mmCIF file of all heavy atoms in Angstrom:
data_model
loop_
_atom_site.group_PDB
_atom_site.id
_atom_site.type_symbol
_atom_site.label_atom_id
_atom_site.label_comp_id
_atom_site.label_asym_id
_atom_site.label_seq_id
_atom_site.Cartn_x
_atom_site.Cartn_y
_atom_site.Cartn_z
ATOM 1 N N MET A 1 102.935 90.022 108.994
ATOM 2 C CA MET A 1 103.942 90.683 108.193
ATOM 3 C C MET A 1 105.161 89.763 108.139
ATOM 4 O O MET A 1 105.605 89.262 109.155
ATOM 5 C CB MET A 1 104.281 92.031 108.821
ATOM 6 C CG MET A 1 105.406 92.738 108.162
ATOM 7 S SD MET A 1 105.725 94.396 108.805
ATOM 8 C CE MET A 1 106.028 94.075 110.512
ATOM 9 N N ARG A 2 105.703 89.599 106.938
ATOM 10 C CA ARG A 2 106.858 88.739 106.770
ATOM 11 C C ARG A 2 108.157 89.525 106.609
ATOM 12 O O ARG A 2 109.187 89.115 107.094
ATOM 13 C CB ARG A 2 106.675 87.842 105.564
ATOM 14 C CG ARG A 2 105.570 86.855 105.765
ATOM 15 C CD ARG A 2 105.465 85.947 104.598
ATOM 16 N NE ARG A 2 104.328 85.074 104.787
ATOM 17 C CZ ARG A 2 103.929 84.203 103.928
ATOM 18 N NH1 ARG A 2 104.575 84.067 102.794
ATOM 19 N NH2 ARG A 2 102.891 83.447 104.156
ATOM 20 N N PHE A 3 108.103 90.643 105.909
ATOM 21 C CA PHE A 3 109.309 91.433 105.698
ATOM 22 C C PHE A 3 108.931 92.854 105.307
ATOM 23 O O PHE A 3 107.801 93.127 104.941
ATOM 24 C CB PHE A 3 110.203 90.815 104.622
ATOM 25 C CG PHE A 3 109.541 90.717 103.270
ATOM 26 C CD1 PHE A 3 109.599 91.766 102.367
ATOM 27 C CD2 PHE A 3 108.857 89.578 102.900
ATOM 28 C CE1 PHE A 3 108.979 91.682 101.125
ATOM 29 C CE2 PHE A 3 108.236 89.484 101.653
ATOM 30 C CZ PHE A 3 108.299 90.538 100.776
ATOM 31 N N ILE A 4 109.891 93.730 105.394
ATOM 32 C CA ILE A 4 109.723 95.115 104.960
ATOM 33 C C ILE A 4 110.785 95.392 103.905
ATOM 34 O O ILE A 4 111.947 95.038 104.091
ATOM 35 C CB ILE A 4 109.900 96.105 106.126
ATOM 36 C CG1 ILE A 4 108.804 95.901 107.166
ATOM 37 C CG2 ILE A 4 109.889 97.544 105.629
ATOM 38 C CD1 ILE A 4 108.977 96.739 108.407
ATOM 39 N N ALA A 5 110.380 95.991 102.790
ATOM 40 C CA ALA A 5 111.333 96.408 101.761
ATOM 41 C C ALA A 5 111.506 97.912 101.882
ATOM 42 O O ALA A 5 110.523 98.642 101.910
ATOM 43 C CB ALA A 5 110.819 96.050 100.374
ATOM 44 N N ALA A 6 112.732 98.376 101.983
ATOM 45 C CA ALA A 6 112.970 99.800 102.165
ATOM 46 C C ALA A 6 114.069 100.280 101.222
ATOM 47 O O ALA A 6 115.018 99.556 100.950
ATOM 48 C CB ALA A 6 113.363 100.093 103.601
ATOM 49 N N GLY A 7 113.901 101.493 100.753
ATOM 50 C CA GLY A 7 114.905 102.147 99.928
ATOM 51 C C GLY A 7 115.341 103.426 100.609
ATOM 52 O O GLY A 7 115.046 103.650 101.774
ATOM 53 N N GLU A 8 116.011 104.278 99.863
ATOM 54 C CA GLU A 8 116.502 105.522 100.429
ATOM 55 C C GLU A 8 115.363 106.424 100.898
ATOM 56 O O GLU A 8 115.475 107.092 101.912
ATOM 57 C CB GLU A 8 117.348 106.258 99.396
ATOM 58 C CG GLU A 8 117.981 107.509 99.929
ATOM 59 C CD GLU A 8 118.891 108.160 98.918
ATOM 60 O OE1 GLU A 8 119.486 107.458 98.089
ATOM 61 O OE2 GLU A 8 119.004 109.389 98.957
ATOM 62 N N SER A 9 114.264 106.439 100.161
ATOM 63 C CA SER A 9 113.190 107.364 100.538
ATOM 64 C C SER A 9 111.805 106.740 100.399
ATOM 65 O O SER A 9 110.823 107.447 100.236
ATOM 66 C CB SER A 9 113.284 108.631 99.686
ATOM 67 O OG SER A 9 113.198 108.296 98.307
ATOM 68 N N ARG A 10 111.720 105.413 100.452
ATOM 69 C CA ARG A 10 110.411 104.765 100.398
ATOM 70 C C ARG A 10 110.507 103.387 101.027
ATOM 71 O O ARG A 10 111.588 102.828 101.159
ATOM 72 C CB ARG A 10 109.878 104.677 98.977
ATOM 73 C CG ARG A 10 110.671 103.797 98.049
ATOM 74 C CD ARG A 10 110.436 104.078 96.587
ATOM 75 N NE ARG A 10 110.766 105.419 96.178
ATOM 76 C CZ ARG A 10 111.985 105.852 95.904
ATOM 77 N NH1 ARG A 10 112.997 105.054 96.022
ATOM 78 N NH2 ARG A 10 112.199 107.087 95.520
ATOM 79 N N ALA A 11 109.353 102.850 101.412
ATOM 80 C CA ALA A 11 109.301 101.519 102.012
ATOM 81 C C ALA A 11 107.965 100.867 101.674
ATOM 82 O O ALA A 11 106.978 101.541 101.399
ATOM 83 C CB ALA A 11 109.457 101.620 103.525
ATOM 84 N N SER A 12 107.956 99.551 101.679
ATOM 85 C CA SER A 12 106.714 98.817 101.461
ATOM 86 C C SER A 12 106.689 97.608 102.380
ATOM 87 O O SER A 12 107.739 97.100 102.781
ATOM 88 C CB SER A 12 106.585 98.381 99.998
ATOM 89 O OG SER A 12 107.628 97.513 99.654
ATOM 90 N N LEU A 13 105.496 97.173 102.728
ATOM 91 C CA LEU A 13 105.381 95.974 103.528
ATOM 92 C C LEU A 13 104.130 95.213 103.120
ATOM 93 O O LEU A 13 103.056 95.784 103.000
ATOM 94 C CB LEU A 13 105.392 96.291 105.024
ATOM 95 C CG LEU A 13 104.233 97.020 105.670
ATOM 96 C CD1 LEU A 13 103.347 95.998 106.373
ATOM 97 C CD2 LEU A 13 104.738 98.007 106.682
ATOM 98 N N PRO A 14 104.287 93.923 102.863
ATOM 99 C CA PRO A 14 103.128 93.090 102.561
ATOM 100 C C PRO A 14 102.541 92.572 103.864
ATOM 101 O O PRO A 14 103.281 92.239 104.793
ATOM 102 C CB PRO A 14 103.734 91.948 101.744
ATOM 103 C CG PRO A 14 105.138 91.843 102.242
ATOM 104 C CD PRO A 14 105.541 93.232 102.646
ATOM 105 N N LYS A 15 101.227 92.513 103.934
ATOM 106 C CA LYS A 15 100.569 91.954 105.110
ATOM 107 C C LYS A 15 100.152 90.527 104.789
ATOM 108 O O LYS A 15 100.063 90.126 103.631
ATOM 109 C CB LYS A 15 99.367 92.813 105.490
ATOM 110 C CG LYS A 15 99.790 94.194 106.011
ATOM 111 C CD LYS A 15 98.618 95.029 106.435
ATOM 112 C CE LYS A 15 97.957 94.424 107.653
ATOM 113 N NZ LYS A 15 96.853 95.243 108.145
ATOM 114 N N LEU A 16 99.903 89.744 105.810
ATOM 115 C CA LEU A 16 99.533 88.351 105.623
ATOM 116 C C LEU A 16 98.221 88.189 104.863
ATOM 117 O O LEU A 16 97.975 87.147 104.259
ATOM 118 C CB LEU A 16 99.464 87.636 106.967
ATOM 119 C CG LEU A 16 100.816 87.478 107.672
ATOM 120 C CD1 LEU A 16 100.634 86.842 109.042
ATOM 121 C CD2 LEU A 16 101.774 86.667 106.836
ATOM 122 N N ASP A 17 97.370 89.229 104.856
ATOM 123 C CA ASP A 17 96.105 89.147 104.118
ATOM 124 C C ASP A 17 96.297 89.366 102.617
ATOM 125 O O ASP A 17 95.344 89.338 101.850
ATOM 126 C CB ASP A 17 95.078 90.132 104.673
ATOM 127 C CG ASP A 17 95.460 91.601 104.480
ATOM 128 O OD1 ASP A 17 96.495 91.895 103.837
ATOM 129 O OD2 ASP A 17 94.715 92.460 104.980
ATOM 130 N N GLY A 18 97.549 89.596 102.167
ATOM 131 C CA GLY A 18 97.842 89.775 100.755
ATOM 132 C C GLY A 18 97.893 91.224 100.309
ATOM 133 O O GLY A 18 98.264 91.513 99.179
ATOM 134 N N SER A 19 97.538 92.158 101.177
ATOM 135 C CA SER A 19 97.591 93.573 100.803
ATOM 136 C C SER A 19 99.031 94.082 100.889
ATOM 137 O O SER A 19 99.863 93.519 101.595
ATOM 138 C CB SER A 19 96.674 94.412 101.707
ATOM 139 O OG SER A 19 97.092 94.339 103.053
ATOM 140 N N LEU A 20 99.317 95.135 100.140
ATOM 141 C CA LEU A 20 100.643 95.744 100.136
ATOM 142 C C LEU A 20 100.494 97.187 100.585
ATOM 143 O O LEU A 20 99.676 97.935 100.053
ATOM 144 C CB LEU A 20 101.262 95.691 98.742
ATOM 145 C CG LEU A 20 102.656 96.295 98.599
ATOM 146 C CD1 LEU A 20 103.662 95.508 99.441
ATOM 147 C CD2 LEU A 20 103.092 96.311 97.154
ATOM 148 N N TRP A 21 101.295 97.598 101.561
ATOM 149 C CA TRP A 21 101.254 98.945 102.117
ATOM 150 C C TRP A 21 102.557 99.651 101.785
ATOM 151 O O TRP A 21 103.633 99.067 101.895
ATOM 152 C CB TRP A 21 101.023 98.872 103.622
ATOM 153 C CG TRP A 21 99.648 98.360 103.923
ATOM 154 C CD1 TRP A 21 99.220 97.067 103.839
ATOM 155 C CD2 TRP A 21 98.518 99.129 104.295
ATOM 156 N NE1 TRP A 21 97.891 96.977 104.143
ATOM 157 C CE2 TRP A 21 97.429 98.237 104.439
ATOM 158 C CE3 TRP A 21 98.300 100.479 104.528
ATOM 159 C CZ2 TRP A 21 96.163 98.666 104.798
ATOM 160 C CZ3 TRP A 21 97.040 100.897 104.898
ATOM 161 C CH2 TRP A 21 95.989 99.998 105.027
ATOM 162 N N VAL A 22 102.463 100.918 101.335
ATOM 163 C CA VAL A 22 103.628 101.672 100.877
ATOM 164 C C VAL A 22 103.662 103.054 101.515
ATOM 165 O O VAL A 22 102.645 103.592 101.926
ATOM 166 C CB VAL A 22 103.621 101.817 99.335
ATOM 167 C CG1 VAL A 22 103.759 100.459 98.672
ATOM 168 C CG2 VAL A 22 102.361 102.508 98.847
ATOM 169 N N THR A 23 104.862 103.618 101.591
ATOM 170 C CA THR A 23 105.050 104.965 102.105
ATOM 171 C C THR A 23 106.316 105.551 101.502
ATOM 172 O O THR A 23 107.172 104.819 101.032
ATOM 173 C CB THR A 23 105.149 104.984 103.651
ATOM 174 O OG1 THR A 23 105.171 106.339 104.099
ATOM 175 C CG2 THR A 23 106.400 104.295 104.152
ATOM 176 N N GLY A 24 106.411 106.881 101.486
ATOM 177 C CA GLY A 24 107.648 107.530 101.089
ATOM 178 C C GLY A 24 107.519 108.512 99.951
ATOM 179 O O GLY A 24 106.438 108.989 99.622
ATOM 180 N N SER A 25 108.663 108.786 99.328
ATOM 181 C CA SER A 25 108.752 109.744 98.239
ATOM 182 C C SER A 25 108.039 109.193 97.009
ATOM 183 O O SER A 25 108.265 108.060 96.606
ATOM 184 C CB SER A 25 110.225 109.992 97.919
ATOM 185 O OG SER A 25 110.353 110.811 96.792
ATOM 186 N N ASN A 26 107.157 109.994 96.419
ATOM 187 C CA ASN A 26 106.354 109.533 95.292
ATOM 188 C C ASN A 26 106.284 110.586 94.196
ATOM 189 O O ASN A 26 105.369 110.592 93.386
ATOM 190 C CB ASN A 26 104.940 109.174 95.779
ATOM 191 C CG ASN A 26 104.153 108.396 94.759
ATOM 192 O OD1 ASN A 26 104.657 107.500 94.123
ATOM 193 N ND2 ASN A 26 102.886 108.754 94.586
ATOM 194 N N GLY A 27 107.238 111.494 94.133
ATOM 195 C CA GLY A 27 107.210 112.585 93.163
ATOM 196 C C GLY A 27 107.161 112.134 91.716
ATOM 197 O O GLY A 27 106.606 112.803 90.861
ATOM 198 N N SER A 28 107.728 110.959 91.424
ATOM 199 C CA SER A 28 107.707 110.422 90.057
ATOM 200 C C SER A 28 106.886 109.143 89.971
ATOM 201 O O SER A 28 107.014 108.373 89.032
ATOM 202 C CB SER A 28 109.134 110.142 89.582
ATOM 203 O OG SER A 28 109.876 111.330 89.527
ATOM 204 N N GLY A 29 106.071 108.881 90.985
ATOM 205 C CA GLY A 29 105.229 107.691 90.988
ATOM 206 C C GLY A 29 105.921 106.432 91.477
ATOM 207 O O GLY A 29 105.436 105.336 91.273
ATOM 208 N N GLN A 30 107.062 106.570 92.151
ATOM 209 C CA GLN A 30 107.842 105.417 92.585
ATOM 210 C C GLN A 30 107.076 104.494 93.533
ATOM 211 O O GLN A 30 107.307 103.294 93.552
ATOM 212 C CB GLN A 30 109.129 105.832 93.318
ATOM 213 C CG GLN A 30 109.992 106.853 92.698
ATOM 214 C CD GLN A 30 109.662 108.264 93.103
ATOM 215 O OE1 GLN A 30 108.565 108.731 92.929
ATOM 216 N NE2 GLN A 30 110.645 108.983 93.612
ATOM 217 N N VAL A 31 106.208 105.067 94.352
ATOM 218 C CA VAL A 31 105.501 104.271 95.353
ATOM 219 C C VAL A 31 104.367 103.480 94.717
ATOM 220 O O VAL A 31 103.968 102.441 95.210
ATOM 221 C CB VAL A 31 104.990 105.188 96.497
ATOM 222 C CG1 VAL A 31 104.157 104.420 97.498
ATOM 223 C CG2 VAL A 31 106.172 105.836 97.209
ATOM 224 N N GLY A 32 103.868 103.942 93.584
ATOM 225 C CA GLY A 32 102.817 103.224 92.898
ATOM 226 C C GLY A 32 101.419 103.742 93.150
ATOM 227 O O GLY A 32 100.440 103.161 92.696
ATOM 228 N N LEU A 33 101.311 104.850 93.877
ATOM 229 C CA LEU A 33 100.005 105.462 94.121
ATOM 230 C C LEU A 33 99.664 106.371 92.945
ATOM 231 O O LEU A 33 100.542 106.863 92.253
ATOM 232 C CB LEU A 33 100.022 106.265 95.426
ATOM 233 C CG LEU A 33 100.359 105.451 96.678
ATOM 234 C CD1 LEU A 33 100.559 106.372 97.860
ATOM 235 C CD2 LEU A 33 99.274 104.428 96.963
ATOM 236 N N ASP A 34 98.381 106.595 92.709
ATOM 237 C CA ASP A 34 97.959 107.424 91.577
ATOM 238 C C ASP A 34 98.471 108.861 91.685
ATOM 239 O O ASP A 34 98.897 109.441 90.705
ATOM 240 C CB ASP A 34 96.430 107.432 91.461
ATOM 241 C CG ASP A 34 95.904 106.084 90.994
ATOM 242 O OD1 ASP A 34 96.641 105.352 90.304
ATOM 243 O OD2 ASP A 34 94.759 105.758 91.326
ATOM 244 N N ALA A 35 98.409 109.443 92.865
ATOM 245 C CA ALA A 35 98.852 110.827 93.063
ATOM 246 C C ALA A 35 100.377 110.884 93.051
ATOM 247 O O ALA A 35 101.047 109.940 93.454
ATOM 248 C CB ALA A 35 98.321 111.369 94.383
ATOM 249 N N ARG A 36 100.931 111.969 92.581
ATOM 250 C CA ARG A 36 102.383 112.153 92.553
ATOM 251 C C ARG A 36 102.832 112.976 93.752
ATOM 252 O O ARG A 36 103.611 113.906 93.640
ATOM 253 C CB ARG A 36 102.803 112.849 91.264
ATOM 254 C CG ARG A 36 102.476 112.093 90.010
ATOM 255 C CD ARG A 36 103.599 111.121 89.696
ATOM 256 N NE ARG A 36 103.488 110.609 88.341
ATOM 257 C CZ ARG A 36 103.202 109.346 88.071
ATOM 258 N NH1 ARG A 36 102.974 108.509 89.053
ATOM 259 N NH2 ARG A 36 103.128 108.929 86.831
ATOM 260 N N GLN A 37 102.288 112.633 94.922
ATOM 261 C CA GLN A 37 102.637 113.330 96.154
ATOM 262 C C GLN A 37 103.305 112.344 97.099
ATOM 263 O O GLN A 37 102.991 111.159 97.101
ATOM 264 C CB GLN A 37 101.390 113.899 96.823
ATOM 265 C CG GLN A 37 100.656 114.905 95.983
ATOM 266 C CD GLN A 37 99.323 115.293 96.622
ATOM 267 O OE1 GLN A 37 98.792 114.595 97.454
ATOM 268 N NE2 GLN A 37 98.794 116.418 96.196
ATOM 269 N N ASP A 38 104.230 112.845 97.913
ATOM 270 C CA ASP A 38 104.852 112.010 98.933
ATOM 271 C C ASP A 38 103.777 111.566 99.919
ATOM 272 O O ASP A 38 102.821 112.295 100.177
ATOM 273 C CB ASP A 38 105.937 112.779 99.668
ATOM 274 C CG ASP A 38 107.091 113.166 98.760
ATOM 275 O OD1 ASP A 38 107.138 112.660 97.611
ATOM 276 O OD2 ASP A 38 107.931 113.959 99.184
ATOM 277 N N THR A 39 103.925 110.383 100.458
ATOM 278 C CA THR A 39 102.977 109.886 101.444
ATOM 279 C C THR A 39 103.730 109.590 102.743
ATOM 280 O O THR A 39 104.573 108.697 102.781
ATOM 281 C CB THR A 39 102.203 108.659 100.928
ATOM 282 O OG1 THR A 39 101.349 108.189 101.948
ATOM 283 C CG2 THR A 39 103.089 107.554 100.448
ATOM 284 N N PRO A 40 103.478 110.377 103.798
ATOM 285 C CA PRO A 40 104.225 110.227 105.043
ATOM 286 C C PRO A 40 103.754 109.061 105.914
ATOM 287 O O PRO A 40 104.410 108.719 106.885
ATOM 288 C CB PRO A 40 103.990 111.564 105.750
ATOM 289 C CG PRO A 40 102.661 112.008 105.246
ATOM 290 C CD PRO A 40 102.590 111.521 103.823
ATOM 291 N N ILE A 41 102.625 108.453 105.585
ATOM 292 C CA ILE A 41 102.116 107.312 106.345
ATOM 293 C C ILE A 41 101.904 106.141 105.383
ATOM 294 O O ILE A 41 101.786 106.336 104.178
ATOM 295 C CB ILE A 41 100.800 107.644 107.070
ATOM 296 C CG1 ILE A 41 99.735 108.059 106.057
ATOM 297 C CG2 ILE A 41 101.003 108.739 108.111
ATOM 298 C CD1 ILE A 41 98.355 108.210 106.640
ATOM 299 N N PHE A 42 101.864 104.933 105.900
ATOM 300 C CA PHE A 42 101.618 103.778 105.043
ATOM 301 C C PHE A 42 100.206 103.838 104.486
ATOM 302 O O PHE A 42 99.251 104.122 105.207
ATOM 303 C CB PHE A 42 101.818 102.476 105.822
ATOM 304 C CG PHE A 42 103.258 102.057 105.899
ATOM 305 C CD1 PHE A 42 104.027 102.414 106.990
ATOM 306 C CD2 PHE A 42 103.833 101.330 104.879
ATOM 307 C CE1 PHE A 42 105.354 102.028 107.070
ATOM 308 C CE2 PHE A 42 105.170 100.947 104.941
ATOM 309 C CZ PHE A 42 105.927 101.297 106.033
ATOM 310 N N GLU A 43 100.088 103.591 103.170
ATOM 311 C CA GLU A 43 98.795 103.535 102.500
ATOM 312 C C GLU A 43 98.711 102.225 101.739
ATOM 313 O O GLU A 43 99.707 101.722 101.225
ATOM 314 C CB GLU A 43 98.641 104.702 101.519
ATOM 315 C CG GLU A 43 98.566 106.043 102.200
ATOM 316 C CD GLU A 43 98.161 107.150 101.238
ATOM 317 O OE1 GLU A 43 97.361 106.884 100.322
ATOM 318 O OE2 GLU A 43 98.675 108.256 101.400
ATOM 319 N N SER A 44 97.500 101.691 101.653
ATOM 320 C CA SER A 44 97.281 100.437 100.954
ATOM 321 C C SER A 44 97.389 100.669 99.453
ATOM 322 O O SER A 44 96.783 101.586 98.911
ATOM 323 C CB SER A 44 95.908 99.880 101.309
ATOM 324 O OG SER A 44 95.668 98.693 100.587
ATOM 325 N N LEU A 45 98.157 99.824 98.788
ATOM 326 C CA LEU A 45 98.310 99.917 97.334
ATOM 327 C C LEU A 45 97.286 98.983 96.704
ATOM 328 O O LEU A 45 97.172 97.821 97.080
ATOM 329 C CB LEU A 45 99.721 99.496 96.947
ATOM 330 C CG LEU A 45 100.128 99.642 95.501
ATOM 331 C CD1 LEU A 45 100.058 101.103 95.078
ATOM 332 C CD2 LEU A 45 101.533 99.120 95.298
ATOM 333 N N ASN A 46 96.513 99.487 95.761
ATOM 334 C CA ASN A 46 95.493 98.698 95.087
ATOM 335 C C ASN A 46 96.177 97.842 94.028
ATOM 336 O O ASN A 46 96.641 98.352 93.022
ATOM 337 C CB ASN A 46 94.433 99.615 94.472
ATOM 338 C CG ASN A 46 93.317 98.843 93.827
ATOM 339 O OD1 ASN A 46 93.174 97.641 94.032
ATOM 340 N ND2 ASN A 46 92.504 99.526 93.060
ATOM 341 N N LEU A 47 96.212 96.547 94.251
ATOM 342 C CA LEU A 47 96.877 95.632 93.326
ATOM 343 C C LEU A 47 95.822 94.900 92.507
ATOM 344 O O LEU A 47 94.885 94.332 93.040
ATOM 345 C CB LEU A 47 97.731 94.615 94.081
ATOM 346 C CG LEU A 47 98.827 95.198 94.951
ATOM 347 C CD1 LEU A 47 99.500 94.079 95.747
ATOM 348 C CD2 LEU A 47 99.848 95.902 94.087
ATOM 349 N N THR A 48 95.985 94.903 91.191
ATOM 350 C CA THR A 48 95.122 94.120 90.319
ATOM 351 C C THR A 48 96.020 93.342 89.365
ATOM 352 O O THR A 48 97.089 93.807 88.982
ATOM 353 C CB THR A 48 94.169 95.004 89.492
ATOM 354 O OG1 THR A 48 94.936 95.937 88.727
ATOM 355 C CG2 THR A 48 93.215 95.767 90.386
ATOM 356 N N SER A 49 95.577 92.177 88.981
ATOM 357 C CA SER A 49 96.355 91.398 88.032
ATOM 358 C C SER A 49 96.104 91.962 86.631
ATOM 359 O O SER A 49 95.086 92.598 86.389
ATOM 360 C CB SER A 49 95.949 89.928 88.103
ATOM 361 O OG SER A 49 94.595 89.778 87.752
ATOM 362 N N PRO A 50 97.019 91.739 85.683
ATOM 363 C CA PRO A 50 96.847 92.307 84.329
ATOM 364 C C PRO A 50 95.523 91.932 83.684
ATOM 365 O O PRO A 50 94.920 92.741 82.994
ATOM 366 C CB PRO A 50 98.028 91.710 83.559
ATOM 367 C CG PRO A 50 99.043 91.406 84.600
ATOM 368 C CD PRO A 50 98.255 91.040 85.837
ATOM 369 N N GLN A 51 95.012 90.724 83.908
ATOM 370 C CA GLN A 51 93.755 90.345 83.302
ATOM 371 C C GLN A 51 92.566 91.057 83.954
ATOM 372 O O GLN A 51 91.507 91.142 83.355
ATOM 373 C CB GLN A 51 93.543 88.822 83.326
ATOM 374 C CG GLN A 51 93.603 88.198 84.669
ATOM 375 C CD GLN A 51 94.996 87.712 85.051
ATOM 376 O OE1 GLN A 51 95.995 88.303 84.651
ATOM 377 N NE2 GLN A 51 95.099 86.654 85.800
ATOM 378 N N ASP A 52 92.730 91.600 85.166
ATOM 379 C CA ASP A 52 91.670 92.353 85.829
ATOM 380 C C ASP A 52 91.635 93.809 85.385
ATOM 381 O O ASP A 52 90.637 94.491 85.555
ATOM 382 C CB ASP A 52 91.829 92.313 87.357
ATOM 383 C CG ASP A 52 91.604 90.929 87.915
ATOM 384 O OD1 ASP A 52 90.947 90.108 87.233
ATOM 385 O OD2 ASP A 52 92.087 90.654 89.026
ATOM 386 N N ALA A 53 92.742 94.310 84.864
ATOM 387 C CA ALA A 53 92.851 95.734 84.520
ATOM 388 C C ALA A 53 92.051 96.077 83.279
ATOM 389 O O ALA A 53 91.697 95.299 82.473
ATOM 390 C CB ALA A 53 94.311 96.110 84.326
#
């Protein structure tokens, strides 16, 4: 882990393997997870490049 990004009600951390883990308030999709529910624990965010989508 190199750094943690945190806001008022959410946080994210990249791992050395390239994955991104997020947690926090997600009522409007701020965390980037498909569900619009808050996530109280860190969850892996599925990252795809635009050409993969």
Side-chain angles (χ1 to χ4, degrees):
M1 174 175 58
R2 293 183 184 177
F3 61 88
I4 296 174
E8 184 176 330
S9 58
R10 65 200 60 81
S12 62
L13 69 100
K15 292 182 67 177
L16 293 176
D17 66 4
S19 62
L20 180 64
W21 292 76
V22 296
T23 187
S25 174
N26 193 43
S28 297
Q30 311 90 302
V31 175
L33 300 171
D34 289 333
R36 299 274 194 248
Q37 299 172 340
D38 296 349
T39 177
I41 60 171
F42 277 94
E43 293 190 34
S44 177
L45 186 61
N46 183 14
L47 301 174
T48 57
S49 62
Q51 57 268 32
D52 293 339

